[in-house]
Amino acid sequence: MAEYIAPIKRLIEEFRKLPGVGAKTAVRYAFATLSLNESEIEQFADAIIGAKRDIRVCPVCCGLTASEGKCEICSDENRDSSVICVVESAKDIMVMEKVRSYRGMYHVLGGVLSPIDNISSDDLNIKELVARIEEGAVKEVIVATNPTPSGDTTAAYIARILEPYGTEVSRLAYGIPVGGDIEYADEITLYRAMEGRKYYGN
Amino acid sequence: MAEYIAPIKRLIEEFRKLPGVGAKTAVRYAFATLSLNESEIEQFADAIIGAKRDIRVCPVCCGLTASEGKCEICSDENRDSSVICVVESAKDIMVMEKVRSYRGMYHVLGGVLSPIDNISSDDLNIKELVARIEEGAVKEVIVATNPTPSGDTTAAYIARILEPYGTEVSRLAYGIPVGGDIEYADEITLYRAMEGRKYYGN
């Protein structure tokens, strides 16, 4: 026996599909799953199936929702609908929500422009964003794509596409992470932090 | 919205039950699962259910098997049934199988003695081991429990229990890992490595 028995092997292969999971971690997860009791196993499997079955895409922001119509944020009338924060993926909404002072809306792109991966603007929810801008109530779009070349390209593309509408388009600031140590910051981050420096007294 | 929608939250909680998975990793896994298509989702869920449904405990070694009777190793007549390697858990069998020169049998304890966790010898597959020894064909038992205090205690306990049968009981050697650097070895490992030193010419 140089191999795991089939049901274990199959489970290991499934866990390996998760991001960042290598062979050893997948084995650990598989054996941890084996040690669950029958009702826990069913609960686990059902949570996975439920993720597909019970989740819909919000017709406004393209984020995820458990309800039939608009998502919780889009239907919250206490939020400021004149600002839209554009994010790459639905999970980034929760990341941005940590900034408790932000009370605007969101728009999920569903990725970033990437010619290498064959992802063009048609593959992203850009026309849905344009449609929201065309309604006329949006004053500012904050692009919060990741600080990667693709994220930058996508942000610049959105700025260009929205130019005719006169909507202000901004991008999250680059700089040194708060609480970080400049000793460990890479040179590009330091360069960007220099470039974006803030003067006192303004 | 300070919380994920219910189906996502549920999935995150399930992933958090896996060993070493914290909040952020669970979120990553949950969203990776969401991005699977429907048939992949079903395959994943079924692999989890299958792990419980299709796996049985081998009546001889207490390891895991996909078949009804004895496991693959226990029914392999080319293996040496006069040696039993005792391991803590079923997954350790695969770890030991990497030592390709070992062609003996295995016995899975299902844990180690641990008064703190209220695990006594009755909770382990020790009487099953004794029953195999009583059959008389086993000449040596190699205890391969982990190099922890509990693992050591369990090994010593097994040695004592098997004493009346005259079976040789050995324990895996402690020492410096091959390819390691003694600079990074802790003092207990170094002490054990000194203690277990091998003389040339023997």
Side-chain angles (χ1 to χ4, degrees):
Chain A
M1 175 162 124
E3 278 190 338
Y4 289 101
I5 56 173
I8 297 182
K9 213 173 134 192
R10 202 176 138 213
L11 189 55
I12 291 172
E13 277 161 17
E14 288 298 328
F15 279 125
R16 282 214 63 169
K17 291 180 190 163
L18 294 173
V21 175
K24 285 201 176 177
T25 307
V27 170
R28 275 184 79 196
Y29 290 173
F31 279 90
T33 306
L34 286 179
S35 69
L36 297 175
N37 66 38
E38 226 148 303
S39 79
E40 286 169 326
I41 283 269
E42 258 172 57
Q43 205 179 310
F44 190 2
D46 195 58
I48 287 168
I49 290 171
K52 208 75 192 179
R53 185 188 53 203
D54 306 335
I55 293 174
R56 279 158 195 82
V57 171
C58 170
V60 178
C61 72
C62 307
L64 302 173
T65 172
S67 51
E68 286 289 337
K70 290 195 280 186
C71 75
E72 229 181 297
I73 293 180
C74 288
S75 43
D76 186 346
E77 294 190 352
N78 291 320
R79 297 188 75 116
D80 181 0
S81 58
S82 72
V83 191
I84 294 178
C85 175
V86 175
V87 290
E88 287 184 22
S89 72
K91 73 167 176 283
D92 294 336
I93 293 183
M94 287 305 302
V95 175
M96 295 307 296
E97 280 290 276
K98 285 192 222 154
V99 186
R100 294 193 176 268
S101 63
Y102 181 74
R103 296 295 293 159
M105 312 310 264
Y106 290 97
H107 192 83
V108 176
L109 287 179
V112 277
L113 295 174
S114 173
I116 290 175
D117 303 315
N118 222 351
I119 297 173
S120 73
S121 62
D122 292 341
D123 301 312
L124 306 178
N125 302 321
I126 287 181
K127 53 183 178 306
E128 287 84 349
L129 175 64
V130 172
R132 291 174 78 178
I133 306 301
E134 277 173 346
E135 284 174 16
V138 180
K139 293 199 191 96
E140 187 181 355
V141 168
I142 303 167
V143 186
T145 49
N146 284 321
T148 57
S150 301
D152 284 345
T153 309
T154 309
Y157 178 81
I158 289 170
R160 192 156 54 78
I161 284 282
L162 299 184
E163 220 180 341
Y165 303 97
T167 316
E168 261 198 291
V169 180
S170 61
R171 173 102 176 86
L172 287 190
Y174 278 108
I176 308 156
V178 178
D181 192 321
I182 55 166
E183 196 180 330
Y184 301 118
D186 61 291
E187 54 199 64
I188 300 171
T189 301
L190 280 176
Y191 171 74
R192 296 291 198 112
M194 287 283 279
E195 232 186 11
R197 64 193 178 277
K198 294 272 179 191
Y199 293 94
Y200 289 102
N202 285 343
Chain B
M1 172 161 126
E3 277 190 339
Y4 289 100
I5 55 173
I8 297 181
K9 212 173 134 190
R10 202 177 138 212
L11 189 55
I12 291 171
E13 278 162 15
E14 289 299 328
F15 279 124
R16 282 213 64 170
K17 290 179 192 163
L18 294 173
V21 175
K24 286 200 176 178
T25 307
V27 169
R28 276 183 78 196
Y29 290 173
F31 278 89
T33 307
L34 286 179
S35 68
L36 298 174
N37 66 37
E38 225 146 302
S39 80
E40 287 170 327
I41 284 267
E42 257 172 58
Q43 205 179 310
F44 190 4
D46 195 57
I48 287 168
I49 290 172
K52 207 76 192 181
R53 184 190 54 205
D54 306 334
I55 294 174
R56 279 158 196 81
V57 171
C58 169
V60 179
C61 71
C62 306
L64 301 174
T65 173
S67 52
E68 286 290 337
K70 289 197 280 186
C71 75
E72 229 180 297
I73 294 180
C74 288
S75 42
D76 184 346
E77 295 191 350
N78 292 320
R79 297 189 73 117
D80 180 1
S81 58
S82 72
V83 191
I84 294 179
C85 174
V86 175
V87 291
E88 287 185 22
S89 72
K91 72 168 176 284
D92 294 337
I93 292 182
M94 288 305 301
V95 174
M96 295 308 296
E97 279 291 274
K98 286 192 222 154
V99 186
R100 294 193 176 270
S101 63
Y102 181 73
R103 297 295 296 160
M105 312 310 262
Y106 290 97
H107 193 83
V108 177
L109 286 180
V112 277
L113 295 175
S114 173
I116 290 176
D117 303 316
N118 222 352
I119 297 172
S120 73
S121 62
D122 291 341
D123 301 312
L124 306 178
N125 303 320
I126 287 181
K127 53 183 177 307
E128 288 84 350
L129 176 64
V130 172
R132 291 175 77 179
I133 306 302
E134 277 174 345
E135 284 173 14
V138 179
K139 293 198 192 96
E140 187 181 355
V141 168
I142 304 167
V143 186
T145 48
N146 284 320
T148 57
S150 301
D152 283 345
T153 310
T154 309
Y157 178 80
I158 289 170
R160 192 156 54 80
I161 283 284
L162 300 185
E163 220 180 337
Y165 303 96
T167 316
E168 260 198 293
V169 180
S170 61
R171 173 100 175 90
L172 288 189
Y174 278 108
I176 307 157
V178 179
D181 191 321
I182 55 164
E183 196 179 332
Y184 301 118
D186 62 290
E187 57 200 63
I188 299 170
T189 301
L190 279 176
Y191 170 74
R192 296 292 196 111
M194 289 281 280
E195 232 187 11
R197 66 193 178 277
K198 294 272 180 193
Y199 292 93
Y200 288 101
N202 286 346

